[in-house]
Amino acid sequence: MDLDTLSARLSTLEQAGLDAIRAASSPEALEAVQVAYLGRRGELKTVLGGIGALPAPDRPQVGAIGNAVREALEAALEIRRRELQTAALDARLARETVDVTLPGRPFRSGSLHPLIETNREIARIFGQFGFVVYEGPEVESDARNFQALNIPPDHPARDLWDTLYVDVPGYLLRTHTSPGQIHVMQQTAPPIRALLPGRCFRYEAVDASHGFEFFQVEGLMVDEGTTMADLRGLLDAFAQAMFGRGRPTRFRPGYYPFTEPSVAFDVQCVVCNGVGCPSCKRTGWMTILGAGMVHPVVLRNGGLDPERYQGFAFGLGTDRIAILRYGIDDIRMFLENDLRFLEQFS
Amino acid sequence: MRVPLSWLRDYVDVDVSPEALAERLTLLGMEVQGIEHRGADWQRIVVGELLTVEPHPGSDHLLVTTVRTSPQEPVLTVLTGASNVAAGQHVPVAVPGAVLPGGRRIEVTRMAGRESQGMLCSGDELGLTTDADGILILPADAPVGVAMTDLFGDVVLDIDVKPNRGDALSLIGLAREVAAATGARVRWPEIVLGESEPPTESHVSVEVEDAVLCPRFVARYVGGVRVGPSSLRVQARLTAAGVRPVSNVVDASNYVMLELGKPTHTFDADRITDGRIVVRLARPGERLETLDHVLRDLTPETLLIADSAGPLSIAGVMGGASSEVGAATTAVVIESAVFDPVTIRRAAHHHALRSEASLRFEKGQESRLARIGANRVAQLIQAWAGGQIAAGCADTNPVEPEPSRLPFRPWRVSSLLGADVPVAEMRALLQRVEVQTEPAGRGDVVPVAAGFPGVVLGAADAARALVAIVPPHRRDLEIEADVTEEVARVMGYDRVPGRLPETPMPEYRPDPRRTVDAARDALAGRGLDEVVTHALVGPVDHERLGMPADDPATIRVTNPLSIDHSQVRRSLLPGLVRVLVENERQRRSDVSLFEVGHVHRLVDGVPAERPMLGVLLGGDQSGAAWNQAARPADLWEVRGLVMALCARVGAAPPSAARPDSFGPFEHPGRTAVLHVEVDGGACELGRAFELHPSYLEAVEARSGHVAVALLDLDVLQSAIPAVRRYVPFPRVPAVERDLAIVVGDGTLAGDVDRVIRESTAPLLRGLRLFDVYAGAPLAPGERSLAFRLTLQAAERTLTDEEIDATVARVVDALAARLGARIRS
Ligand SMILES: [Zn+2]
């Protein structure tokens, strides 16, 4: 074996290796090529095994050639490996391509009932002004629903509330949230800023704007020096929050036995903006709530001295606010719970 | 109250448009709820003069008339079925092309072979009177050819008079309000009587047994009357005001009720035995046939007008048939009385006879009006029905009360309103509602709250305070705050400025809805729809829950609108199920609902209510799609939801157990009672269950499986720890061991779970049931429950020996306590 022969064999080996690497079409085949040429018993080792037969001065030269062949093969292996990886990735991506316009997995979106959410919104607005929520019972005593509110038995003002009575002496289904005023005054010392949302009942035939069950929110503020101007300012703030900035409002006289003076709070019609339309009976105004300064007798019944304390109360119909807020034209929708209605409030 | 403007103008000048007047009255507290333009819908209806009236040759009930409607136009031939017409009369004629109220068009028609060129109108067809039988005969001076609208059109305001303003349930009272708004003067009707002897006392006497029930009774006598219909003008006014014309005598009484707000009654004088009237309570067993020809049993609380022969009328409510004024009446007795409002209200309610009169009596009557009203009715009867008014009157209490004095502090008026109203302006404002003011004196008492002692004015305050001299018709002005309201409403509420409160804020108070709202958000976030159902349900709803219709714990409505809403709900279930069924009828098969609401029952005779959360799942719960299979509504779904919402609100997951007993609506094999830990003890949170197939069938549900949870929100709230603390987790690795545990019939997963927890504490960090298997090679009735135990010590890595020992302890305990073995 001489130098030239060995060199020629290494050269042939290199060429064959490079061909095999280029021909390998999978990572496994490439691995086999690597083992075959560069492995412990690979071709390169075998050829270089003949180096011992060479004269000593020639050996370093052959060793250098051998290293060059190894490096060339390793470089080719690396390039081929990358090529195969890229091809495999491309194949996978192609395989995984889908119709992206197919609908997503249907997570169901639930809904919150517009009446309860309207109550929550009302509480959120008044909460900014320090009003906190209290709760009162639905089955209420006549004493608190009427008598403590300055409405004695057989008083003509009782005609304002068509009452549903129950078979428990002295009790009825509360006709308004106003008895909450008494509950709050009896359990809390002024300063009082209270909000009482709740379900109310009336003996009333059901139609598009009436129901025998409905929701109200009562407001009560009592302190030394609370005035009707405070009431006006708060209700204006509420109207702006609920119906948008700049909407005109007005007080006009009203009547409730438990407030004196009593007012109705009107907001410019949200349908016609004051021009006059069937929704506002052509007056340009919509009555949002009733209010007034807490009657001195009611303060007394709540355990407070009317010479020291003044207060106001208001009662607003959740249904009415919700109707205006969402443009609902039939109050019966609220308790019918048709999913086609409810799902619009998700 | 319906107020015809043409009538109102008798008492006050109105020089603004009806719309402007309505606005001003509304801003004064007399809310105008509607403006009716009467006659605006009479198109091409004119006054015609009947020239001839002859029978129709081809019909025995039709008349052929010729009518002249103007000198220029040809005479019309008009057929009519009415029989009250005669040549020379003036009548309303709807000429061809006319439109009647309600949109009915009048054209040329043929009747029984003759052409009719229009129609003669009745008062009822025009809405002018209530007479539908005959043609409306107009006054002879009604100018021929003039449109009926121009002659008889009117504007009627519908005014909502509040219950405290009985004085304003009258034209004169509303004229006073108009005057307050516009500054005009009120004109009272001039009441001048031409009286004749013999005097009233020779015809009628009055005795009142209880002056508390009847503080004043005035009677007058008018003889020689001729009862007949009132004039068209009177009939039209009454009709426009909503009162049916009857006869000149009865109309006079009703006219005065509307004019002055004073209800009166007229009796046929010849039907009052001996002319002796007694006002008394009914005696046991007494009966009276009222004007509506109903024979009524009179309760001993009923106040009567009677004579020696028995009851004549129910005071303030309705007259009796026997003494009714009719065509044959020649003499009448006028009753103008004041009765106890509560007595009248109760009688009207008891007999379901609420009338315009009783409504006014209920609100209290001004004593002064008793005499004035009697005189006014006598005057009108004489004017309309002729006769002689007997001199003087019978009057049981001929004392006119003084105006009342109401001391008030102008600075308190301003402070309540939050608006500075100068004292001079305040006095001027009050004067506009006929309230005079004068300086107060030391010792005057300011009424602050009726029924409570007033505030005695000292020298300093007295010097600044005023006294309101309240006219007798304003019985609603009783306390200082009432004066404040008068000042404010006359001044106008636009003078009350709006400003945000500057007074101190209240103490912090936790929002009682916080937990509920968190639960609602959690459930809606998991795809459930919130519903609000009726709190009033039917007896059948409760019966299906196993509560009989007469269950002593159920609260029932005594005056329900319908049987379906006659009981106060004891459970949220019926309402939720109704929503399910209604939506199934809309072909929905993916119903998942929740409701937050109160349930009610009687505890020791006292109503008790609790806030509850109800969840109901029916049909597919996953929202099945091309890439997702349907998931049935079952016990596991609803229990998972309960666990999720407990986690959301911060409560530990509830434990489940098989209950001892079941409701008829619960699937006995699929009902769990849920407990949470409260103050170290187990407290029942509620139940999770699938509905019983029989219940589903009874309510006509389509879903085969419906899962429900009913949770007590107060218990849930109390299961939430007041503070939540972070617990450090071990940094050393945890070890997992899987155990497949074979148990026999009757052993529950919950039992296995409990034994594992008890026998591994304190090393157990996690426990998860990941597989349940039954079938070969296990024996029938056996189940394999595969649990993954996560074991970990706080500060060190567990040794193999410790782990093996722990697992061995679990296996031994399971074997010993449950007879369980490990499946290898
Ligand atoms: Zn409008």
Side-chain angles (χ1 to χ4, degrees), chain A residues 18-333:
Chain A
L18 290 174
D19 289 347
I21 288 169
R22 244 189 310 280
S25 60
S26 70
E28 295 75 28
L30 193 63
E31 181 70 25
V33 173
Q34 181 171 4
V35 170
Y37 285 88
L38 300 178
R40 264 192 294 163
R41 281 173 219 156
E43 301 264 353
L44 187 58
K45 269 265 158 60
T46 310
V47 174
L48 288 177
I51 202 166
L54 288 183
D58 290 344
R59 286 180 196 167
Q61 199 179 345
V62 171
I65 294 171
N67 278 340
V69 169
R70 174 181 295 277
E71 281 166 17
L73 289 177
E74 280 178 345
L77 275 168
E78 185 54 31
I79 288 165
R80 186 62 184 153
R81 194 173 289 122
R82 292 223 179 118
E83 282 173 4
L84 287 174
Q85 272 173 357
T86 304
L89 195 57
D90 287 347
R92 175 183 166 179
L93 293 177
R95 206 168 50 245
E96 291 180 354
T97 295
V98 297
D99 176 356
V100 297
T101 64
L102 283 168
R105 191 160 288 120
F107 291 104
R108 294 193 312 165
S109 51
S111 61
L112 292 167
H113 196 279
L115 283 181
I116 313 289
E117 276 306 279
T118 299
N119 269 355
R120 184 145 74 159
E121 180 63 19
I122 292 166
R124 208 176 275 144
I125 294 169
F126 282 104
Q128 288 201 5
F129 303 105
F131 282 72
V132 291
V133 173
Y134 290 73
E135 284 171 326
E138 292 170 356
V139 178
E140 183 57 278
S141 68
D142 186 283
R144 270 187 296 262
N145 193 80
F146 286 130
Q147 295 168 44
L149 293 173
N150 198 29
I151 312 163
D154 298 307
H155 192 276
R158 288 209 175 199
D159 292 349
L160 295 175
W161 300 274
D162 291 314
T163 309
L164 284 164
Y165 293 95
V166 295
D167 60 350
V168 187
Y171 286 87
L172 44 76
L173 297 170
R174 69 171 166 199
T175 57
H176 46 185
T177 44
S178 303
Q181 294 181 32
I182 302 296
H183 286 279
V184 172
M185 283 190 271
Q186 286 177 346
Q187 63 179 270
T188 312
I192 293 171
R193 298 188 192 191
L195 221 51
L196 291 123
R199 186 191 291 255
C200 305
F201 304 81
R202 301 246 174 110
Y203 185 91
E204 189 132 32
V206 176
D207 64 27
S209 47
H210 298 88
F212 58 88
E213 293 184 24
F214 56 96
F215 287 77
Q216 274 191 351
V217 178
E218 191 81 5
L220 175 71
M221 173 164 172
V222 181
D223 200 359
E224 295 172 8
T226 297
T227 71
M228 194 165 240
D230 295 331
L231 171 65
R232 181 69 200 263
L234 272 168
L235 292 184
D236 276 348
F238 170 72
Q240 309 302 318
M242 198 51 102
F243 302 109
R245 294 210 156 271
R247 184 158 293 277
T249 64
R250 73 175 186 187
F251 270 5
R252 62 181 170 83
Y255 170 71
Y256 304 98
F258 38 92
T259 48
E260 190 74 36
S262 301
V263 292
F265 181 63
D266 294 351
V267 169
Q268 189 189 62
C269 178
V270 298
V271 178
C272 66
N273 290 322
V275 176
C277 71
S279 295
C280 58
K281 291 189 190 164
R282 314 212 170 276
T283 62
W285 296 94
M286 292 182 136
T287 303
I288 295 302
L289 54 84
M293 302 307 291
V294 180
H295 196 285
V297 165
V298 177
L299 287 170
R300 281 269 179 214
N301 291 335
L304 301 175
D305 177 4
E307 272 297 280
R308 180 172 173 198
Y309 293 112
Q310 297 181 167
F312 65 72
F314 60 83
L316 62 92
T318 309
D319 309 60
R320 177 134 184 84
I321 301 290
I323 275 176
L324 294 174
R325 201 172 166 215
Y326 300 114
I328 295 164
D329 57 1
D330 191 333
I331 202 170
R332 286 170 289 202
M333 300 300 292

Side-chain angles (χ1 to χ4, degrees), chain B residues 172-235:
Chain B
I172 202 81
L174 289 165
R176 279 192 293 249
E177 293 292 314
V178 172
T182 65
R185 291 186 68 83
V186 175
R187 287 185 297 272
W188 270 74
E190 201 179 334
I191 306 173
V192 184
L193 300 182
E195 300 181 330
S196 313
E197 297 296 331
T200 298
E201 62 223 43
S202 68
H203 297 287
V204 60
S205 70
V206 180
E207 181 198 339
V208 171
E209 283 193 356
D210 186 343
V212 171
L213 299 182
C214 177
R216 191 171 191 181
F217 193 115
V218 176
R220 290 206 78 120
Y221 179 90
V222 186
V225 299
R226 287 179 312 279
V227 176
S230 299
S231 71
L232 173 58
R233 192 183 73 109
V234 169
Q235 290 197 42

Side-chain angles (χ1 to χ4, degrees), chain B residues 721 723-727:
Chain B
V723 285
R724 293 177 82 169
R725 305 283 301 182
Y726 155 73
V727 181

